[in-house]
Every structure is written in structure tokens, then in C-alpha cells.
Amino acid sequence: MVGPEEALKTQEYKAYRWRWLVLFAFCTFTFSNALGFVQYSPILSLAAEYYGVTDQDIVWFSNCYYITYVVFCPFTIRPLEKRLDLSLFLAAFVTTLGQWFIYIAQQTYSFALVGFILIGMGQIFILAAPAYISDRWFPMHERTVSTSLGSFFNLVGLNFSIVYASITFQNVTDHNEIVDQIDFMNLLFAIFTSLAFIFCVTMIRNKPATPPSISAASEKMLILPSFKRAFRSFESIMDLLTFSMFIGVSWAYMVVIAILLAPFNYTTEQIGYVSIVYAATGAVGGTLASIYVDYQIKNNSKPHYDYLIKGFLTIGVAGILIKALIINYVNDTVIVVLSGIIGFGLNSFLPLALQCYIEKLFPSFELVLTTAIMQMSNLFGFILNYILILEVFLDVGLWVILVAMGPFYLYLIFGYKTKFLRLEMEQQAAAA
């Protein structure tokens, strides 16, 4: 009788070209799902006028993403594990339905809110999926970059939404023109999500006929034991909370950036530039870092996860601190540059954090681990969102963010260390 270790040694491993079509379809889906998350962030006042509500009411559209994920994400693990394809088909359909709800709602706030809730329900299948797709479809030396692409197309969607709103509405003041432009934007985004749904149905498959790596073929812990392992010690809890806090901060910063800059008399166009640079630098930095990590793995070296993560987040924290200190004394060009530095720091670390967290707790089920991180990230993001829109904190929002991050940053710098349990197992099995 052949045991598990012997079976892994004799198992055939193959990476199929179709993996890139799966990733492409998923990226179009996560791009389209992200469009609604910040589509009104650069134009809060105009959106409030469109719906006849307050700026704070518009922020609740984004909060729908946070709340639905926190509440419902654990229920997506089993469906994604059993049928990745059907789960993502359903998620893409619900997202498309939600975006068409928003368009059909026109100026009815409550009906539009239902649409955003539906999009949030689609998102619950997305955030934890990139690392799972990379493990199921990609060889070990492509896992980080595929996770990066799957994660950052969410950021690309956010960026596109902000760019579109900033450019389209920069000189719009007439009420009828506001209505026409918002209606057209919602129609455009509904078309995008419909196309993404078609890509998902035609390209996404459940899993390859042959696993691409030893990790994909190995037995993982069950769902409940994997959850328990994430909370079994002070170290594992702090790892989870630390990564989640920084991810939550990066999302909340994007959503409320217009509110943070409003007390300093920034225009819609200026807020748009700040948001664009914030998102773009993170996506580029994280992708390049992921390529470097995969290059190290391909050459049988242990990747420099710790140096990269600590370096990125130090840059992000330093950027926020400097911005908080000098925002009253510098011009908008300096603020745009600082926002790029902050985005480079806070966003670039995401795919690295997911992969090193999976490494450290292997053989826990990676989908459970990433779901736990994303659940806590959404919880932190929602709390920060709620706090930062309160009038009492409008002038000190950056300082609130620094206080929230402080204890976790200290733990990261002085207490965090990656353990390469998955990589070592794969390298030993490959050498045997």
C-alpha cells in the first residue's frame, strides 16, 4: 500500500496554459466588482445631491462591502472548495445583478442600497480566492505573482472608478448634468460587470486534471481545525490581527480619502489625482515584489518575505506620519507624492502577506486562512470608515489611522517572523 508521502513523490505535476485564462477571467470579475466600492468617493457631495441624502449616507454604500463580507464570508469556504467555478459564476451573476439594480434605481437611495448589498454579496467569494486559485492552478514559482494579479485587479478597479469619476465630474455643477453623468456611469459599470460575468462562465474551470504542485496535491487540514489553528496562540492571533489591520487601513484610506482631504479645501480633481497615485503605486510595487519572490522560489531560495513586508509597511506608516505633520504647509503636488509613497507601502505588501501567512500555518487550509484575514480586514476597515466620517475626527483622521496601526506596527517589526513550512515540504519532496 502506497502512503501519502510516497503518493506525492510519484504523483505527476503539470501546469496547464488554461490557468492564465482562469486568472484573466477572475481578474475581470474582481475588477468589475470593485468599481462600485469607491465610485462615489471622489464626488461624495454630488452623489449626495443625486440621491437627496447626506455625504455620510453615501459612505454606507461602501460599508455594504464590509458588512456583507464580515457576516457571510465563512459560508463561502465550502462552496469554493467543492466547486470553484460554480461559486464564482454565482458571485459574478449576483454582482452583475447588483450593478444593474443601481442603474435601474436612478435616484432612489434605498433601491440603490440593495444593489450595493448584492455587489457586496458577490465580493464575499472574491477576496480570499486569489491565493486559493494560485495554489489550485499555478506551480510553486508562480503562486505569489498570480496571487498578486488576482488581488491587485481589485485595486485596478478601484483606481479606474476613481479616475473616471474625477475626470467626468471635475467641472460638473448643474443638477441635471449631475443626474445624467451619474446615470451614464452606473450604466457603464453595469455593462462592465456583465462582460466579466460572460468571461467567468466561459473561462473559469473548477480545477486542472493534474495538480500543478505538491502543495495542491497534499492533504490539508479541515476547515474547523484550520480556523482553530489561526487562533491557538498569542503569536498566531497577533499575526492575523496585524496583517488584517494594515489591509483594513489600506481599504479605509481609499474609501474616505475625500473626507480626509475635505477640511483642506481639495477639489474633486485634486482628490482624484491623490487617489490614482495611491492605488497605482501599490499595484506596481506589489506586482514587482511578487515577481522577485517567485524568482527566488524558482531558484530554490527562501523568499525575503519579512524584509519586504516590514520595509513596505515602514514606508506606508512613515508616509502617513509625514503627511499628518505637513499637510497644512505644503502644496497639492507634495500631497500627491506622499499619497504615492503611502500607497506603495500599504498596498504592496498584500500578496506577500497572504502567501507568508499560508506558509507559516501550513498545512492549514489556505482558503480558511485567507478568509480569516479578509474577514478581520473588513471588520477593521468598517470600524475605521465609521470613525473617520464622524465630524469630531474630520481634522485628525490621519492621526486616528496612526494610532490604530501603532501597536501592530511594533509587533510586526519586533515580533513577526515567517516560517517556511510549505516551501520546505515541497523542496524536500522534490529533492527526494
Side-chain angles (χ1 to χ4, degrees), residues 310-339:
K310 293 178 182 181
F312 279 134
L313 292 180
T314 296
I315 291 171
V317 171
I320 293 176
L321 177 60
I322 294 171
K323 187 174 181 178
L325 291 170
I326 68 174
I327 192 169
N328 289 305
Y329 311 105
V330 296
N331 59 34
D332 59 301
T333 301
V334 176
I335 297 302
V336 169
V337 172
L338 281 173
S339 296

Side-chain angles (χ1 to χ4, degrees), residues 131-340:
Y132 184 54
I133 291 173
S134 71
D135 188 76
R136 176 170 280 200
W137 277 93
F138 287 82
M140 59 187 293
H141 62 275
E142 293 176 354
R143 280 197 297 248
T144 310
V145 74
S146 57
T147 300
S148 173
L149 292 172
S151 300
F152 283 140
F153 261 82
N154 182 277
L155 201 57
V156 173
L158 299 176
N159 207 359
F160 177 86
S161 182
I162 292 170
V163 170
Y164 181 88
S166 301
I167 293 175
T168 303
F169 293 92
Q170 60 179 311
N171 296 315
V172 176
T173 56
D174 179 72
H175 178 76
N176 291 331
E177 190 177 359
I178 291 172
V179 172
D180 291 341
Q181 291 291 356
I182 289 181
D183 284 345
F184 180 78
M185 177 175 67
N186 290 334
L187 174 62
L188 182 65
F189 289 178
I191 293 172
F192 282 161
T193 55
S194 299
L195 292 173
F197 172 68
I198 294 172
F199 287 140
C200 285
V201 172
T202 55
M203 296 181 185
I204 291 181
R205 301 289 183 269
N206 184 37
K207 61 182 178 181
T210 304
S213 67
I214 295 173
S215 174
S218 63
E219 287 289 330
K220 307 292 174 59
M221 294 173 64
L222 298 177
I223 293 176
L224 187 57
S226 295
F227 266 121
K228 288 181 178 179
R229 194 174 184 209
F231 294 93
R232 73 176 184 180
S233 67
F234 175 79
E235 180 182 6
S236 62
I237 293 173
M238 285 302 300
D239 290 348
L240 173 63
L241 295 179
T242 298
F243 287 146
S244 300
M245 172 55 75
F246 282 105
I247 295 170
V249 165
S250 70
W251 292 341
Y253 188 91
M254 172 73 79
V255 173
V256 301
I257 198 166
I259 295 175
L260 292 175
L261 294 177
F264 305 98
N265 298 317
Y266 275 73
T267 65
T268 298
E269 183 179 5
Q270 291 170 323
I271 291 171
Y273 289 143
V274 170
S275 302
I276 291 164
V277 173
Y278 172 80
T281 53
V284 172
T287 301
L288 291 176
S290 298
I291 293 172
Y292 171 65
V293 164
D294 280 345
Y295 173 79
Q296 290 183 297
I297 294 174
K298 189 174 183 179
N299 287 278
N300 294 317
S301 300
K302 290 183 178 178
H304 296 149
Y305 284 130
D306 291 7
Y307 293 128
L308 290 169
I309 290 173
K310 293 178 182 181
F312 279 134
L313 292 180
T314 296
I315 291 171
V317 171
I320 293 176
L321 177 60
I322 294 171
K323 187 174 181 178
L325 291 170
I326 68 174
I327 192 169
N328 289 305
Y329 311 105
V330 296
N331 59 34
D332 59 301
T333 301
V334 176
I335 297 302
V336 169
V337 172
L338 281 173
S339 296

Side-chain angles (χ1 to χ4, degrees), residues 25-35 126 149-151 153-154 157:
F26 178 79
C27 287
T28 62
F29 172 33
T30 190
F31 169 90
S32 68
N33 182 273
L35 293 173
I126 291 177
L149 292 172
S151 300
F153 261 82
N154 182 277

Side-chain angles (χ1 to χ4, degrees), residues 59-75:
V59 173
W60 275 97
F61 285 152
S62 297
N63 285 342
C64 290
Y65 283 68
Y66 293 125
I67 295 170
T68 52
Y69 195 89
V70 171
V71 174
F72 296 108
C73 68
F75 303 105

